[in-house]
Amino acid sequence: MTTSTSSQSLWQRVTAPLSSGPIAYGFLALYVLACSILLVTNPRTELSTDVVFVLFLLSMLVAYRSRVAAWFKVVLGVFALGVVLPYFGTLNPFYIDVATQAGIFTALALGLNVVVGFAGLLDLGYVAFFAVGAYAWGIFSTPQITEINPAWSPVDPVMFYPFLIIGLILGLITGVLLGLPVLRLRGDYLAIVTLGFGEVIRVVANNLDRPINITNGSQGIRAIERPPLIIVDQIRNLGIVADDNRLYQLFFYYLVLIIVLLTVIVVARLKHSRIGRAWEAIREDEVAAVAQGIPRVRMKLLAFAIGASFAGVMGVVFASKQLFINPPTFDLLRSINILAMVILGGMGSIPGAMLGAIIVTMLDLQILPRIAAVLREAQAAGAPIPRQFDPTQYQRLLFGLLLVVMMIFRPEGLWPDERRREEQHEVEITDEELEADKTAKQAGADSGS
Amino acid sequence: MALLEATNITKIFGGLVAVNDVTFTVEPGSIVSVIGPNGAGKTTFFNVLTGIYKPDKGRVVFAGKDITGWRSDQIAALGMRRTFQNIRLFGNMTVLENVLIGMHVHLHASIWSIIFRGRTMLREEAKARNKALELLSFVGIADKRDELAKNLPYGDQRRLEIARAMAGDPKIILLDEPTAGMNPHETAEATQLIRRLRDERGITVILIEHDMRLVMSISERISVLDYGSKIAEGDVQAIRTNPRVIEAYLGKGAAGHAA
Amino acid sequence: MAVDATVAPTTARRSLGEVLGVVFGPVGQLLAFIVGSAASLSLIVVVLALILSSAQPDIMQRVVIILPQVIIDGLVRGFLFATIALGYTMVYGVLEFINFAHGEIFMIGGVVGATVSFLLVSAGALESIPPLVFILLVVLVAMAFCGMLAVTVERVAYRPLRGAPRLVPLISAIGMSLILQDLARLVMTNTPLGFNARYQTPNFGQPIQLFTMQIGERSVPVILSPRDLIFIVAATIMLVVLNYVVNATKLGKAIRATAQDMPTASLMGIDVNRIIALTFLIGGALGGAAGALFGLRIGTVNPYMGLIPGLKAFTAAVLGGIGNITGAMVGGVVLGFLEAFVAAYLSIFTAGNFSGAAYADVAAFSILILLLIFRPSGLLGEATTQKV
Ligand SMILES: Nc1ncnc2c1ncn2[C@@H]1O[C@H](COP(=O)(O)OP(=O)(O)OP(=O)(O)O)[C@@H](O)[C@H]1O
Ligand SMILES: [Mg+2]
């Protein structure tokens, strides 16, 4: 711990001038621009591109964290995520898929962060809510629905949009139904019960092809509908030829981007509200929190339900994007995967959860396969590497190590919750607070006159 | 009418009768003390009053409502707040935030107005902040509002706990050994603060204390617990000369020598 | 946290009678629960069959024919959960911590057993070894290996976190469980064992025919396979020995003292770290033995086979009152019977619509959830109030 504080101060000494004042603007602009140029000029799938890509995504978090004007952040964000990345995606579709995947998991990590990080409830069955949303859209958008009742028919694909809300509500309801009985439990029991619940949902999905075929059992649901692309014809009219798959990649990218943005805003506002404070109080000391009049179970339920509803929405998106879902998609490892993101980034920290989601997704989709390829080459060249060792198949080992190492050496995560890290420093007054003060004064002046 | 009326409270842990058939009444606007040797059941009695434990027997009526069996947060919301013998602040939150937590029941911004940053919510937050600052100046630690609670010196932590309790606009505050571990100077200040709670804010106070000088100087009534039972009750003079009290504190045979 | 209601009297030496009392008292309690659960569950299925027999005339026969086999199955499952649950409960008793990786210790016990058997096969010695020696060999090797492994895990992943907030060691334990799964897989897939390792055994002889039931015209033999018998006997021996260690030795007393009040135990000169390590050693050895025996019974092991039994064993520990050693055994047995009955009869009673094998897990977890909600202190545990 002592080493980390000293390195932190060094880190801070280096980054402080870059994160506020006029230098920050130049630095950020240069950073984003440099990454963008590097990406666009070398769109091949290789290690150097991976590194630049990660740096590129990181730039958004750095900007988020810097003390620059909000408009500047917006401009940078729109430029990088709204323009450069999609364009880069047309050059190398692989990366836009990675970005979309990272976005889906960012939203999930943010949702789980509300439960684990804000309220301190270790939920090991989070993926169950994701499954609920995914199955809802999977069943209702495909002929699977006729298996339940031959008189019913699949909904129009355009219903995808209202189903985002339905997914949210389904997640919410499931969250409340599970949470209501179990949130009275002590923390470690809760972890086991949610794990059990996640398994139950998976087993049920696996077996609910009888007596009525609801989930199509272990076969999963195929050919899940994607929503109609509203502006496709206009794009085609412009003379741009693009096949549907490419367009859908872009569509899902933008959709996920918007959802992530909304999620970040909602989560950040909750965190800095009476509700967020109450969660933090419960996490710190339940008895003391309750003695302040905070209804323990109700606040926990709220966190649980909010987290679950994010997962419900993302489930709908995920099912539609993947076109296919089956029970193993929603196994315990997936829950652990999301948990690892939250813990790696830092429990309770919003940029942390996002960072964790990016790192873990990149590990999963790019870094491990790349290591695997290197190993295979080495093996072919005669290096003594076990023939069965494929790093992409050892996610458990990786996440396991990650959890243990983080708990022992850095339980607060890579990007800890801000206030906690700057313990000794003056606490900055956030924009919200300033604005709140202003409004209050105004209100006072209004009523006075 | 009494503000708080506890009748025949009994609390048993396994085979141990921690509080035994205690009846206790507090008039509004008074400062009363509960004293007794270590392990007498004072804290347990507070825990029963504030709903942390359910009594095995007995009834608690507070502000005209029978609150027996209510949850702790409901009782707090009704206007009974407390501090803890072993200080229980939210250590990783700032001083100001700790007070804001105490205000929780008075903040009503809906989740929608939080998500959309509605005017009512912003106004409410700003007001809460101002009120919290005012409370911090009342207890004398306004300059430390942005420090983490766990980094405060011990005496300030006790003050913060009182400010947090006041934040709920309580009718009554239960203080569990508010001067434990303080030096005489700090104790004098704390005594002053407790008096001001009642005199300036009109808050009724129940006090558990081992510091007899403080208890005798401040209390209007005193109840004495020993092995869970109430062995005496009365004003300062009556308690000072009560032989059973002296015996409980100093052991058998001491009654003749003291007072 | 009371580990056991029976706090030993302070006399230095006890009479043989007393020792037998503390050792076999729990065993008697266990026996009562075995008979009780088997009987009451049998009664329930018979009554259900009676109710349904108007619609399905042959249902009673189908229910009764398999009943003895179901009871044996329940007993085996029960002892399996009991032996694993002991590891959870002992650690919880001392550290108030769910050792999430304990299911993996069980799995590795199975893998170690399979390895020993594989080595014997490779040496061409398997068939010539007397069955009893074989069993002793696999069980002892698995116990030694898993005991040490559990101690190592504690040392590496839990001890540095002692005193941290509750969730921190729990998360570390979850991580440890994943690590062990994949380490086992790494080793297995890169050796001749393979992902699904065969677990060969010497010939244990013919199934034992206990008796025959006369149902209508048919006479149905009730069979106990030697592997089931081995499992039941071995588990019983382990449970008795553990009871002896915990209730009648100085070491057991130190463990119980540490569980009740760690700071005081430490003041009394008990080396708390050593006791905790010993607790992991005993729990790990039991889990390893259970794994070796279980693998031997089903004939194959794989690196992911620990998770579900581990969860169920934890359920059993909670069912019996976590921290309570006798409770863990009782909980294991009760859960084992429940599961065996659900697995066997759900399909019969729902006309084949719900497969019992699949929903047995659901049943076990539902029990866990209901239990934690309505009686978190378990069957034998006492409700405690958290001190404020
Ligand atoms: N949750 C609990 N479970 C079991 N026993 C308890 C519990 N809480 C308190 N006790 C016991 O009840 C008795 C009374 O304790 P209590 O804390 O109320 O005493 P007290 O008068 O506040 O003492 P002190 O002056 O030392 O604070 C003690 O013997 C204590 O050990
Ligand atoms: Mg006390």
Side-chain angles (χ1 to χ4, degrees):
Chain A
M1 286 300 119
T2 46
T3 51
S4 87
T5 39
S6 65
S7 71
Q8 231 170 52
S9 59
L10 179 67
W11 168 253
Q12 278 170 351
R13 232 174 296 150
V14 175
T15 56
L18 296 179
S19 65
S20 62
I23 302 177
Y25 289 83
F27 166 72
L28 279 174
L30 210 67
Y31 179 2
V32 172
L33 218 62
C35 288
S36 306
I37 291 169
L38 282 176
L39 277 185
V40 174
T41 52
N42 184 14
R44 270 172 305 159
T45 308
E46 59 183 35
L47 188 62
S48 62
T49 319
D50 283 354
V51 173
V52 177
F53 189 65
V54 171
L55 287 175
F56 177 78
L57 292 180
L58 268 181
S59 72
M60 292 297 97
L61 289 178
V62 173
Y64 175 92
R65 166 89 212 281
S66 299
R67 290 170 200 178
V68 293
W71 66 264
F72 189 68
K73 294 183 186 178
V74 173
V75 168
L76 274 185
V78 169
F79 173 71
L81 297 178
V83 179
V84 175
L85 210 153
Y87 173 67
F88 174 57
T90 60
L91 302 176
N92 185 341
F94 176 70
Y95 283 101
I96 198 152
D97 218 45
V98 172
T100 309
Q101 198 84 348
I104 290 177
F105 280 102
T106 302
L108 289 173
L110 285 167
L112 184 61
N113 193 31
V114 171
V115 184
V116 180
F118 292 178
L121 308 165
L122 188 54
D123 180 357
L124 296 180
Y126 187 61
V127 80
F129 308 119
F130 188 53
V132 167
Y135 267 97
W137 179 241
I139 291 170
F140 280 90
S141 77
T142 64
Q144 181 64 30
I145 187 85
T146 57
E147 300 272 343
I148 301 173
N149 183 340
W152 295 345
S153 55
V155 299
D156 191 280
V158 82
M159 288 299 282
F160 174 79
Y161 300 101
F163 249 84
L164 291 175
I165 305 295
I166 294 176
L168 184 139
I169 294 170
L170 283 176
L172 195 89
I173 293 173
T174 328
V176 171
L177 286 183
L178 172 67
L180 213 51
V182 306
L183 286 173
R184 286 162 216 282
L185 299 177
R186 262 223 319 266
D188 41 6
Y189 280 12
L190 180 74
I192 301 287
V193 169
T194 50
L195 191 158
F197 175 74
E199 285 296 291
V200 166
I201 288 268
R202 194 178 55 79
V203 171
V204 168
N206 212 5
N207 290 285
L208 221 55
D209 46 355
R210 280 183 313 158
I212 304 169
N213 184 355
I214 298 176
T215 62
N216 209 24
S218 57
Q219 308 252 292
I221 299 177
R222 278 168 204 291
I224 297 172
E225 282 293 341
R226 300 185 287 200
L229 293 176
I230 304 156
I231 49 162
V232 173
D233 290 338
Q234 282 85 330
I235 294 177
R236 293 241 164 83
N237 289 343
L238 287 175
I240 297 171
V241 262
D243 66 282
D244 267 9
N245 279 331
R246 284 289 175 90
L247 285 178
Y248 270 113
Q249 264 182 342
L250 280 179
F251 166 76
F252 279 112
Y253 170 75
Y254 278 115
L255 179 69
V256 168
L257 183 64
I258 291 169
I259 295 179
V260 169
L261 280 178
L262 291 178
T263 312
V264 172
I265 293 174
V266 169
V267 169
R269 289 184 177 176
L270 284 173
K271 181 177 157 80
H272 294 112
S273 71
R274 68 177 181 97
I275 294 174
R277 283 194 302 264
W279 284 333
E280 192 170 355
I282 291 174
R283 190 183 71 205
E284 286 240 331
D285 185 339
E286 255 184 55
V287 172
V290 171
Q292 312 312 315
I294 294 172
R296 183 178 68 112
V297 173
R298 202 186 312 157
M299 293 313 290
K300 285 184 176 181
L301 197 59
L302 187 63
F304 212 68
I306 289 175
S309 56
F310 289 159
V313 179
M314 280 339 261
V316 174
V317 176
F318 182 80
S320 174
K321 174 182 171 293
Q322 297 300 102
L323 308 172
F324 167 66
I325 51 172
N326 64 354
T329 319
F330 307 102
D331 64 358
L332 173 63
L333 195 59
R334 183 82 64 170
S335 289
I336 301 271
N337 197 318
I338 305 168
L339 179 70
M341 296 171 184
V342 173
I343 284 169
L344 182 68
M347 285 186 268
S349 154
I350 294 170
M354 296 163 77
L355 176 71
I358 292 172
I359 295 180
V360 170
T361 312
M362 293 296 283
L363 267 176
D364 254 359
L365 294 182
Q366 289 187 280
I367 297 170
L368 287 183
R370 205 169 298 294
I371 296 173
V374 171
L375 285 183
R376 263 197 307 277
E377 273 169 35
Q379 207 170 38
I385 292 164
R387 70 197 150 82
Q388 286 293 333
F389 185 66
D390 175 358
T392 56
Q393 298 301 308
Y394 282 87
Q395 292 171 327
R396 287 163 200 257
L397 187 62
L398 180 80
F399 294 143
L401 281 171
L402 198 146
L403 293 183
V404 174
V405 169
M406 289 305 289
M407 285 304 104
I408 294 178
F409 296 106
R410 206 173 159 84
E412 74 276 25
L414 294 181
W415 193 320
D417 196 13
E418 224 82 296
R419 166 154 40 67
R420 211 145 299 173
R421 210 180 61 167
E422 295 176 1
E423 265 174 34
Q424 308 293 344
H425 302 261
E426 180 195 6
V427 171
E428 65 174 307
I429 296 180
T430 62
D431 304 12
E432 285 108 301
E433 289 166 346
L434 280 178
E435 201 172 307
D437 280 344
K438 233 184 286 166
T439 344
K441 274 187 205 121
Q442 234 161 29
D446 288 352
S447 60
S449 63
Chain B
M1 195 188 72
L3 177 61
L4 176 69
E5 244 181 301
T7 21
N8 306 107
I9 300 292
T10 298
K11 178 70 197 171
I12 303 170
F13 295 116
L16 176 84
V17 186
V19 176
N20 187 5
D21 199 30
V22 171
T23 295
F24 181 76
T25 309
V26 181
E27 296 302 325
S30 57
I31 298 181
V32 301
S33 291
V34 178
I35 62 172
N38 289 109
K42 307 180 293 293
T43 300
T44 305
F45 184 58
F46 266 23
N47 286 339
V48 169
L49 292 181
T50 53
I52 289 176
Y53 298 152
K54 309 272 164 274
D56 292 302
K57 270 191 222 118
R59 252 161 39 99
V60 184
V61 175
F62 172 59
K65 291 203 170 69
D66 186 342
I67 60 166
T68 323
W70 280 29
R71 288 198 320 264
S72 207
D73 55 291
Q74 297 171 316
I75 295 175
L78 192 63
M80 189 192 300
R81 291 295 168 97
R82 67 174 295 178
T83 65
F84 293 90
Q85 182 170 356
N86 49 339
I87 308 181
R88 295 183 85 143
L89 290 167
F90 306 109
N92 286 314
M93 301 176 83
T94 66
V95 168
L96 187 72
E97 282 173 324
N98 267 275
V99 182
L100 287 173
I101 293 283
M103 252 172 243
H104 182 86
V105 296
H106 296 304
L107 302 180
H108 303 288
S110 72
I111 188 160
W112 301 116
S113 82
I114 288 170
I115 290 174
F116 294 109
R117 290 260 287 275
R119 277 185 88 77
T120 44
M121 173 264 182
L122 293 174
R123 206 172 302 166
E124 182 183 86
E125 277 287 297
K127 259 194 219 153
R129 244 154 240 275
N130 288 340
K131 185 175 155 199
L133 283 175
E134 191 271 322
L135 288 173
L136 286 176
S137 6
F138 182 82
V139 301
I141 52 172
D143 51 326
K144 302 190 170 153
R145 63 175 159 159
D146 289 330
E147 266 179 58
L148 291 190
K150 68 175 177 200
N151 295 341
L152 289 185
Y154 185 79
D156 287 349
Q157 294 199 2
R158 292 258 182 227
R159 288 165 190 270
L160 176 53
E161 238 195 344
I162 291 177
R164 183 178 69 179
M166 291 173 69
D169 287 333
K171 302 183 180 72
I172 194 166
I173 292 185
L174 283 58
L175 301 170
D176 197 343
E177 302 196 18
T179 70
M182 286 186 173
N183 63 34
H185 174 68
E186 289 171 324
T187 304
E189 283 184 352
T191 314
Q192 211 43 45
L193 181 59
I194 295 167
R195 231 183 233 123
R196 285 172 57 220
L197 267 185
R198 195 266 310 265
D199 295 348
E200 294 175 20
R201 305 283 163 140
I203 299 172
T204 309
V205 175
I206 312 179
L207 183 68
I208 293 178
E209 253 306 334
H210 283 299
D211 184 326
M212 281 309 135
R213 189 125 55 102
L214 166 56
V215 169
M216 297 300 166
S217 75
I218 208 174
S219 322
E220 279 135 26
R221 286 187 79 73
I222 299 173
S223 296
V224 188
L225 293 188
D226 191 22
Y227 292 112
S229 304
K230 187 169 83 178
I231 56 168
E233 186 173 38
D235 60 15
V236 172
Q237 206 45 45
I239 294 301
R240 222 193 268 279
T241 52
N242 186 317
R244 284 192 68 188
V245 176
I246 297 162
E247 187 184 304
Y249 269 91
L250 302 176
K252 260 205 182 323
H257 308 287
Chain C
M1 180 93 267
V3 136
D4 214 326
T6 51
V7 174
T10 42
T11 42
R13 279 197 168 275
R14 298 196 237 172
S15 69
L16 184 66
E18 270 178 311
V19 171
L20 288 181
V22 291
V23 174
F24 287 99
V27 175
Q29 212 170 354
L30 183 62
L31 210 63
F33 269 95
I34 290 174
V35 174
S37 348
S40 47
L41 285 166
S42 305
L43 191 69
I44 290 172
V45 289
V46 168
V47 169
L48 275 177
L50 266 181
I51 294 170
L52 291 175
S53 62
S54 53
Q56 296 163 269
D58 66 330
I59 195 165
M60 180 60 87
Q61 203 181 36
R62 287 198 289 148
V63 165
V64 176
I65 281 180
I66 57 171
L67 190 56
Q69 230 58 60
V70 173
I71 291 175
I72 291 172
D73 183 37
L75 199 59
V76 173
R77 287 180 197 237
F79 275 167
L80 171 70
F81 296 150
T83 37
I84 309 176
L86 284 167
Y88 282 108
T89 233
M90 288 177 67
V91 167
Y92 198 95
V94 174
L95 290 177
E96 291 209 20
F97 150 71
I98 300 174
N99 179 14
F100 203 86
H102 189 60
E104 273 56 53
I105 300 282
F106 157 79
M107 172 274 291
I108 286 177
V111 175
V112 168
T115 309
V116 171
S117 128
F118 173 81
L119 291 176
L120 289 173
V121 172
S122 318
L126 189 68
E127 284 308 322
S128 55
I129 250 180
L132 203 61
V133 176
F134 175 80
I135 294 165
L136 273 177
L137 190 65
V138 289
V139 167
L140 289 179
V141 174
M143 285 179 89
F145 189 89
C146 291
M148 311 266 269
L149 181 65
V151 172
T152 314
V153 167
E154 192 271 331
R155 189 73 195 76
V156 172
Y158 307 155
R159 196 181 295 180
L161 303 175
R162 219 175 280 159
R166 280 182 94 93
L167 289 189
V168 169
L170 180 62
I171 292 171
S172 182
I174 293 168
M176 213 56 225
S177 136
L178 296 168
I179 293 175
L180 292 177
Q181 284 175 19
D182 258 5
L183 280 184
R185 186 159 65 100
L186 185 63
V187 170
M188 291 168 77
T189 52
N190 285 292
T191 56
L193 283 173
F195 183 86
N196 276 305
R198 283 185 65 197
Y199 195 141
Q200 284 168 287
T201 59
N203 191 353
F204 290 134
Q206 291 303 307
I208 304 151
Q209 187 167 331
L210 296 178
F211 54 90
T212 39
M213 286 195 304
Q214 207 61 39
I215 295 174
E217 335 279 64
R218 294 165 57 187
S219 64
V220 186
V222 174
I223 299 165
L224 178 62
S225 90
R227 288 159 199 268
D228 286 352
L229 181 66
I230 291 166
F231 195 93
I232 293 172
V233 171
T236 312
I237 293 172
M238 287 193 296
L239 299 186
V240 171
V241 170
L242 182 78
N243 259 310
Y244 173 77
V245 170
V246 172
N247 289 325
T249 65
K250 228 177 128 181
L251 169 63
K253 205 178 197 175
I255 290 179
R256 281 177 293 139
T258 311
Q260 282 208 335
D261 187 344
M262 201 185 292
T264 309
S266 157
L267 286 176
M268 296 304 186
I270 295 175
D271 180 351
V272 170
N273 273 335
R274 196 175 133 257
I275 294 301
I276 290 172
L278 276 169
T279 309
F280 274 88
L281 184 77
I282 297 173
L286 283 173
L293 289 165
F294 180 74
L296 173 155
R297 177 170 172 259
I298 62 172
T300 157
V301 294
N302 75 60
Y304 298 156
M305 73 174 193
L307 181 73
I308 298 294
L311 272 176
K312 288 182 188 159
F314 175 75
T315 306
V318 175
L319 185 60
I322 192 141
N324 182 324
I325 288 175
T326 313
M329 301 183 200
V330 167
V333 164
V334 172
L335 188 69
F337 276 118
L338 272 170
E339 206 188 75
F341 273 80
V342 170
Y345 288 114
L346 185 65
S347 165
I348 292 184
F349 286 130
T350 59
N353 281 327
F354 293 94
S355 127
Y359 285 99
D361 288 358
V362 175
F365 291 131
S366 310
I367 290 169
L368 174 66
I369 295 177
L370 293 176
L371 191 74
L372 285 175
I373 295 163
F374 294 110
R375 194 170 159 77
S377 53
L379 293 172
L380 302 189
E382 279 174 38
T384 52
T385 320
Q386 194 196 351
K387 227 171 183 171
V388 173

